[in-house]
Amino acid sequence: MDYVQNAFFEASNWNRDNSYGSLTATARALLDFDTPRGLRLNISSLSSPNFATTYTLGSIGAVDGSLSYLYSSLPLAANSKSSDIPLRHFIQGYRQLQELRRPDEPWWWEVWHEGKRIDRRDALLYGRLFLPQSTLEALYLRRLSPTRLLKLSSVSSSALKSGGTILALLQTDTGKHSTEYLYSTDSALLGIRGLYNFGPDPRLTTTATPTPYQTTTDLTPPPNGRFSAGCELYYGLLNKSGGMSTGLRFTTLPSHPGFPYTMTLTLNPLMGNLSSTYSVLASRNLALCSRFAFNVYSYESDLQIGMELWRRRRRGPEEEEGLEWVYRKLGRKVVVQGAGEREEDVEGVLKARVGQEGGVGLLWEGRVKELLYSAGVTVDLGRGESMFRGVGVEVQYSS
């Protein structure tokens, strides 16, 4: 379902990376990946461009499962068959940020018929029921304007204090900066988050096409990197407590001549937590990441290192394009104009992480014919004989 929700963001031209909540998204994808536990089977179907369903059945001591339904008023053009889904888009890994785009003009969204506006705002509805716990999750997304998104999420469960909770989030993204206002019924929490991008403003940037009186040397070259700063403030009206955090991020853009990398630094001054991450795409198939956390009050620290390694299918000479195989045999550098990455060459990805306390996580995600699968294990080397904390396999089929 996350793959379908991301397709909704792409179809509605919403940049999910331009927010304070996604400041450390790359490091989380490389270090905080979830490993399956037990045996789990997912069956999904995008029966129409507007409606999707998912059925999940798992076994971790006892049999459990879930039912999920999703509706989008905006037709989604995502590949729904598990044999055709691009693994690079389906599996979260290193995220190469793109250049900021100029927001759409409000009048671009207007649709008139016989003197009346008939346009509607795109929306997405999602619901998931967990069995046998009878826990219900719900999500509502609505594009209010080209620069504004409303998100309502709720959970209903007897295990929660008030039987459930609702979180409302209003996000504004102008490209140059973004703001988020949130409210949660849990402790009546109020919060605000903001992110500011240094550099050129996409709202003022013109297209990089020279006029008859200009040359290409008169145009400003695209930036090679982007530096961003943000912070968040929140306060609970019921428990009379608050908090804050601030963060910095520098990431390279596609025009950067070297290898892509991302650096972040976050600080929670009230709790004294300081965290820094460094992620690098060392090659087309290998990404590395490290995260160091330190508490200035207790002097406790933690170090984690992770990686992702993509495996590709070797192509024979008969599968290579043109005279590519001839130049390879001669030891010459091969440059194929217009040749991009072919998705059918990707077989899977191996993710691994290790912490200074002895925690190790391994995850392999791949595809076999019509099935997507993931197998993982979590090990704690400091627990002696009971070091294995979780082992599992998850199989997914989508039509």
Side-chain angles (χ1 to χ4, degrees):
M1 284 298 181
D2 292 338
Y3 172 73
V4 180
Q5 293 179 26
N6 293 335
F8 174 81
F9 291 139
E10 294 180 3
S12 59
N13 293 328
W14 183 260
N15 186 2
R16 59 190 177 98
D17 294 321
N18 193 30
S19 66
Y20 184 78
S22 62
L23 192 73
T24 59
T26 294
R28 293 198 306 266
L30 297 177
L31 297 176
D32 299 335
F33 55 86
D34 295 326
T35 56
R37 299 184 60 187
L39 179 62
R40 187 164 296 274
L41 174 64
N42 295 329
I43 300 178
S44 304
S45 174
L46 188 63
S47 55
S48 70
N50 303 87
F51 189 74
T53 58
T54 297
Y55 306 97
T56 302
L57 181 64
S59 176
I60 309 178
V63 178
D64 60 356
S66 65
L67 307 175
S68 304
Y69 297 92
L70 183 144
Y71 170 77
S72 172
S73 62
L74 179 65
L76 305 178
N79 293 327
S80 59
K81 294 185 178 180
S82 52
S83 58
D84 300 332
I85 295 178
L87 294 182
R88 286 282 191 179
H89 296 166
F90 183 76
I91 301 175
Q92 298 295 330
Y94 184 91
R95 296 168 71 165
Q96 174 68 69
L97 299 188
Q98 304 298 316
E99 296 183 14
L100 297 174
R101 60 178 297 273
R102 181 180 179 181
D104 296 340
E105 297 293 341
W107 58 271
W108 291 358
W109 288 28
E110 297 180 2
V111 178
W112 294 82
H113 179 68
E114 297 182 353
K116 296 182 179 180
R117 288 189 57 178
I118 60 174
D119 54 284
R120 296 182 179 181
R121 296 296 178 254
D122 300 323
L124 181 143
L125 296 173
Y126 168 74
R128 185 177 185 182
L129 176 62
F130 294 87
L131 298 173
Q133 301 90 345
S134 298
T135 300
L136 179 64
E137 290 182 353
L139 174 66
Y140 175 72
L141 297 175
R142 185 177 182 85
R143 290 296 308 274
L144 301 179
S145 68
T147 59
R148 190 163 295 175
L149 172 70
L150 175 64
K151 178 180 179 180
L152 298 176
S153 57
S154 62
V155 178
S156 176
S157 174
S158 58
L160 298 178
K161 181 179 179 180
S162 302
T165 179
I166 300 177
L167 174 64
L169 178 67
L170 178 62
Q171 183 176 353
T172 302
D173 182 10
T174 63
K176 182 67 173 179
H177 57 82
S178 68
T179 56
E180 299 172 85
Y181 304 93
L182 60 91
Y183 173 77
S184 175
T185 57
D186 187 13
S187 302
L189 183 68
L190 293 173
I192 180 174
R193 297 188 292 194
L195 181 71
Y196 182 83
N197 299 306
F198 295 87
D201 191 339
R203 296 170 296 180
L204 306 177
T205 303
T206 57
T207 58
T209 303
T211 64
Y213 304 99
Q214 288 181 320
T215 62
T216 56
T217 57
D218 298 329
L219 300 177
T220 303
N224 295 329
R226 182 190 308 149
F227 181 73
S228 307
C231 67
E232 67 174 349
L233 300 171
Y234 51 90
Y235 182 78
L237 300 178
L238 298 183
N239 54 20
K240 308 297 182 182
S241 63
M244 68 169 298
S245 69
T246 183
L248 304 173
R249 179 184 65 188
F250 178 81
T251 182
T252 57
L253 297 177
S255 58
H256 185 261
F259 50 81
Y261 64 90
T262 301
M263 300 182 296
T264 65
L265 177 65
T266 57
L267 171 65
N268 188 328
L270 299 182
M271 303 301 296
N273 294 326
L274 178 67
S275 176
S276 62
T277 67
Y278 179 74
S279 308
V280 57
L281 191 61
S283 69
R284 186 178 61 167
N285 302 324
L286 176 64
L288 304 172
C289 180
S290 64
R291 178 170 59 195
F292 177 74
F294 180 75
N295 189 281
V296 297
Y297 299 143
S298 63
Y299 296 101
E300 295 181 351
S301 62
D302 182 48
L303 176 64
Q304 283 186 313
I305 299 176
M307 57 154 283
E308 68 170 6
L309 179 63
W310 291 85
R311 177 180 174 83
R312 300 179 181 275
R313 179 177 60 88
R314 289 184 176 272
R315 291 186 290 167
E318 67 279 359
E319 297 180 280
E320 298 187 359
E321 302 176 2
L323 298 177
E324 181 181 350
W325 66 276
V326 176
Y327 292 108
R328 197 181 304 278
K329 287 290 185 180
L330 296 176
R332 296 174 56 182
K333 184 178 179 180
V334 180
V335 179
V336 182
Q337 298 294 335
E341 177 183 297
R342 301 204 308 181
E343 179 57 35
E344 59 268 21
D345 293 339
V346 178
E347 292 186 347
V349 58
L350 173 65
K351 291 187 177 184
R353 66 168 179 262
V354 59
Q356 70 176 26
E357 300 296 334
V360 179
L362 296 175
L363 177 66
W364 170 262
E365 297 180 274
R367 173 166 45 207
V368 175
K369 296 184 181 299
E370 302 291 332
L371 298 178
L372 297 172
Y373 70 94
S374 60
V377 58
T378 303
V379 180
D380 189 353
L381 301 179
R383 300 182 62 178
E385 297 181 355
S386 58
M387 64 174 61
F388 290 95
R389 301 181 58 183
V391 180
V393 177
E394 183 175 355
V395 180
Q396 304 180 55
Y397 174 77
S398 177
S399 61

